[in-house]
């Protein structure tokens, strides 16, 4: 079940049964059993005002989903200059079973775009744990004419995965942005790119990679 985001509010938790335990740090390990809780520390940005996004954990502990309902950038006829760029930064406090840590190995984004001939749309994202450097932002460009659903994926190589420090609580930050440039398009046309849909939501899926922390001496 999805719960509305608000700063400092717990939005999703799940208790799983089972006794499987991961052994190595490679991507695709079995997720740990037990309770995983995601608490939203802050949500900020022109694309995700409080109350317009939600988060939930997959039943098998392998992923979490952020759903947006008002994340849209547009340019052209009827648009204000500030409409052409929208962003969203969410800081998540992810509580995992003791003895385990996680990285985010892949992020899948989905939405809808309507771009007039000559218009361009951009989706990009960066990720980092509190106190660490943000990863290089990964960008995806769409060129008009375009009038369809869109989907992008950011995947990190196994050797480049950045795990949360074992035994420490660090916020996991997701920083996304969408832009629409219609300077070369018909000025009478409106172009837009949305991380949402006509039925009110589009899911953005983040895939966990798990590993077991070294035993404390």
């Amino acid at each position: 079940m999805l719960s509305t985001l608000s700063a400092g509010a717990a939005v999703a938790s799940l208790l799983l049964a089972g006794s499987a335990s991961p052994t190595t740090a490679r991507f695709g390990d079995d997720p740990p059993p037990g309770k995983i809780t995601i608490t939203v520390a802050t949500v900020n940005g022109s694309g995700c005002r409080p109350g317009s996004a939600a988060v939930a954990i997959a039943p098998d502990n392998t992923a979490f989903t952020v759903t947006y309902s008002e994340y849209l950038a547009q340019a052209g006829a009827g648009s204000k200059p500030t409409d052409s760029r929208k962003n969203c930064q969410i800081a998540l406090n992810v509580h995992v079973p003791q003895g385990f840590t996680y990285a985010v190995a892949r992020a899948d984004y989905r939405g809808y775009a309507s771009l007039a001939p000559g218009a361009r749309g951009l989706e990009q994202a960066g990720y980092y744990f509190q106190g660490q450097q943000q990863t290089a932002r990964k960008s995806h460009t769409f060129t008009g004419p375009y009038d369809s659903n869109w989907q992008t994926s950011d995947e990190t190589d196994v050797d480049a995965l950045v795990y949360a420090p074992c035994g420490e609580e660090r916020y996991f930050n997701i920083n996304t942005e969408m832009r629409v440039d219609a300077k070369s398009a018909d000025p009478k046309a409106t172009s837009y790119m949305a991380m949402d849909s006509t039925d009110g939501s589009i899911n953005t899926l983040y895939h966990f990679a798990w590993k077991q922390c070294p035993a404390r001496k």
Side-chain angles (χ1 to χ4, degrees), residues 92-94 102 129-132 164-165 168-173:
L92 301 175
N93 196 0
V94 183
Y102 72 96
F129 289 102
Q130 181 184 9
Q132 296 180 342
E168 299 181 23
E169 289 193 0
R170 301 277 188 94
Y171 293 153
F172 178 66
N173 294 278

Side-chain angles (χ1 to χ4, degrees), residues 98-202:
Q98 186 174 1
F100 293 88
T101 186
Y102 72 96
V104 171
R106 192 175 83 218
D108 299 325
Y109 296 91
R110 294 191 297 127
Y112 192 89
S114 179
L115 303 172
R120 294 168 62 88
L122 171 74
E123 177 271 320
Q124 63 180 355
Y127 320 90
Y128 63 99
F129 289 102
Q130 181 184 9
Q132 296 180 342
Q133 186 175 358
Q134 180 172 285
T135 60
R137 294 172 71 86
K138 299 184 179 182
S139 301
H140 305 273
T141 302
F142 300 83
T143 303
Y146 190 101
D147 190 14
S148 184
N149 294 315
W150 61 266
Q151 181 169 341
T152 65
S153 294
D154 297 340
E155 188 160 359
T156 303
D157 292 337
V158 174
D159 294 340
L161 288 173
V162 178
Y163 286 86
C166 285
E168 299 181 23
E169 289 193 0
R170 301 277 188 94
Y171 293 153
F172 178 66
N173 294 278
I174 303 168
N175 193 356
T176 59
E177 179 181 352
M178 287 195 304
R179 297 185 185 185
V180 174
D181 182 351
K183 295 184 181 67
S184 300
D186 182 349
K188 297 180 181 180
T190 301
S191 296
Y192 68 87
M193 185 170 180
M195 206 177 290
D196 69 1
S197 71
T198 54
D199 61 4
S201 67
I202 274 289

